[in-house]
Amino acid sequence: MTNDGPPTLDDVARTAGVSRSTASRAINGGLRVSPEAQAAVDDAVARLGYSPNRAARSLVTRRTDSIALVVPEPDGRILTDPFLAGTLRGVSDALAGTDLQLVLLLARPGEHPGQMARYLRSGHVDGVIVTSHHRGDHLEAELAGGKLPAVFVGRPFASDDAGLHWVDVDNVTGGRLATRRLIERGCRRIATVTGPLDMTAAVDRFAGWREEMAATGLPDDAYVEGDFTVSGGTAATQHLLDEHPDVDAIFIASDLMAEGALHALAARGISVPGDIAVTGFDDLGIAASATPRLTTVRNPVVEMVNAATSTLLTMLAGEQVPSAPLIMDAVLIEGASA
């Protein structure tokens, strides 16, 4: 080294015995660099403690070394919803062994529906993982067939030929399992509290409930749309009981809403499962702490997030990934509420 400051690219090239351009290519991906030169540059970087200038590097590679986790929900949701919190932890953990930084994008009050999509198209990140998406957030249309690698955690509304990659649990089967458990218990007036029907998870769980009710010849008129929150579950259950006082069971499309439903039922002196049996969906901690312990369907968030992140990293490496979605099995978790 010929200066007293931090090591430079010229110092690395001189120590490795290669040209400055070869050192730059070796540090920025190894394109057109011999194995011997790559090894020499790697050794020089380690010996000198060289850290590349990320801004300069991005000009060469056109990479930002960052990926976005897009959650089109208000920031309070990621702190209170165990699925979203688990998604954030899962992606962060999966990137721990890489040089990639995680950029978290949340919806802001009053934000124009296409604003987040425009940010993603502007070259700020190398790839994106999207979760908790809604029909009207414009993300599917903006990312379908685009140059930005993207993976959805949760089925997109777009058709399979839109070119979107996604990972999900089998929500339809999960809805059927939760409903079947109530039927097997002997319940015959079974209602449901759905999630927001501008989200595919809610649509598919609702479809599963309807399919199982139809298979048994039971009426499917008792349902209320919820919002995947505790307070929303309380309000929806109160409305459901007012409109359909004869129900003897409720399939609730998330454990957060089921927690709120249990509050509403207790406030009216309705015992669970004695008077009304209840099943939920998620099994991300709330079910185990509920009183009574919720019978629910497992939502394998850790496995889904790991798979989505692995798929995205493979895409960023320039390798092919399967075009078919990865759909994980739904599993009923027995509790005391049904």
Side-chain angles (χ1 to χ4, degrees):
M1 291 174 56
T2 59
N3 58 62
D4 295 327
T8 66
L9 181 61
D10 288 327
D11 296 327
V12 172
R14 187 179 304 108
T15 301
V18 299
S19 68
R20 190 178 191 279
S21 62
T22 297
S24 176
R25 290 197 303 274
I27 291 169
N28 292 308
L31 295 176
R32 303 187 307 280
V33 178
S34 69
E36 296 78 12
Q38 184 71 57
V41 172
D42 290 343
D43 180 66
V45 167
R47 287 165 55 194
L48 297 175
Y50 173 74
S51 180
N53 182 306
R54 296 180 71 88
R57 181 183 178 190
S58 68
L59 292 174
V60 176
T61 64
R62 299 187 183 277
R63 295 276 294 267
T64 67
D65 288 337
S66 62
I67 69 166
L69 172 60
V70 175
V71 184
E73 301 283 3
D75 54 5
R77 287 290 300 275
I78 203 164
L79 301 175
T80 58
D81 189 313
F83 178 84
L84 298 180
T87 299
L88 177 58
R89 287 194 303 270
V91 175
S92 181
D93 290 347
L95 296 179
T98 74
D99 292 330
L100 295 171
Q101 300 298 311
L102 180 61
V103 177
L104 178 61
L105 298 181
L106 303 172
R108 292 176 293 185
E111 182 175 285
H112 187 276
Q115 188 170 336
M116 195 175 290
R118 285 196 299 274
Y119 175 88
L120 295 172
R121 288 200 315 270
S122 299
H124 297 291
V125 295
D126 298 328
V128 56
I129 294 174
V130 181
T131 192
S132 197
H133 47 288
H134 298 254
R135 187 189 294 271
D137 58 29
H138 292 250
L139 288 168
E140 293 183 19
E142 295 292 346
L143 294 173
K147 295 181 180 179
L148 182 66
V151 183
F152 283 72
V153 179
R155 179 179 69 83
F157 278 100
S159 62
D160 290 341
D161 59 4
L164 294 173
H165 298 277
W166 54 279
V167 179
D168 205 355
V169 67
D170 187 344
N171 284 298
V172 174
T173 297
R176 295 197 68 156
L177 289 174
T179 307
R180 188 178 307 155
R181 179 69 187 86
L182 298 170
I183 294 170
E184 290 171 348
R185 181 180 172 82
C187 302
R188 289 298 176 267
R189 188 66 172 125
I190 303 171
T192 187
V193 175
T194 77
L197 295 175
D198 66 342
M199 302 179 71
T200 56
V203 170
D204 290 349
R205 293 170 196 180
F206 186 32
W209 172 78
R210 279 198 142 148
E211 287 180 11
E212 196 64 26
M213 297 290 279
T216 317
L218 296 175
D220 64 357
D221 60 307
Y223 60 89
V224 176
E225 184 175 354
D227 64 358
F228 284 155
T229 69
V230 175
S231 60
T234 299
T237 302
Q238 290 170 338
H239 180 70
L240 185 66
L241 295 173
D242 291 340
E243 294 293 317
H244 304 280
D246 59 334
V247 300
D248 58 4
I250 312 173
F251 162 49
I252 302 172
S254 81
D255 291 348
L256 272 179
M257 292 195 301
E259 180 182 351
L262 292 177
H263 296 329
L265 293 169
R268 298 197 182 198
I270 297 172
S271 70
V272 177
D275 297 322
I276 293 181
V278 173
T279 53
F281 202 116
D282 278 333
D283 194 37
L284 296 173
I286 290 172
S289 61
T291 304
R293 204 271 190 222
L294 275 172
T295 298
T296 189
V297 175
R298 182 170 179 264
N299 197 359
V301 58
V302 173
E303 292 90 334
M304 289 195 297
V305 170
N306 284 344
T309 307
S310 176
T311 298
L312 183 62
L313 293 177
T314 300
M315 295 167 71
L316 292 177
E319 301 175 17
Q320 291 283 77
V321 297
S323 58
L326 177 58
I327 303 174
M328 299 188 176
D329 292 337
V331 178
L332 185 73
I333 306 297
E334 293 285 356
S337 66

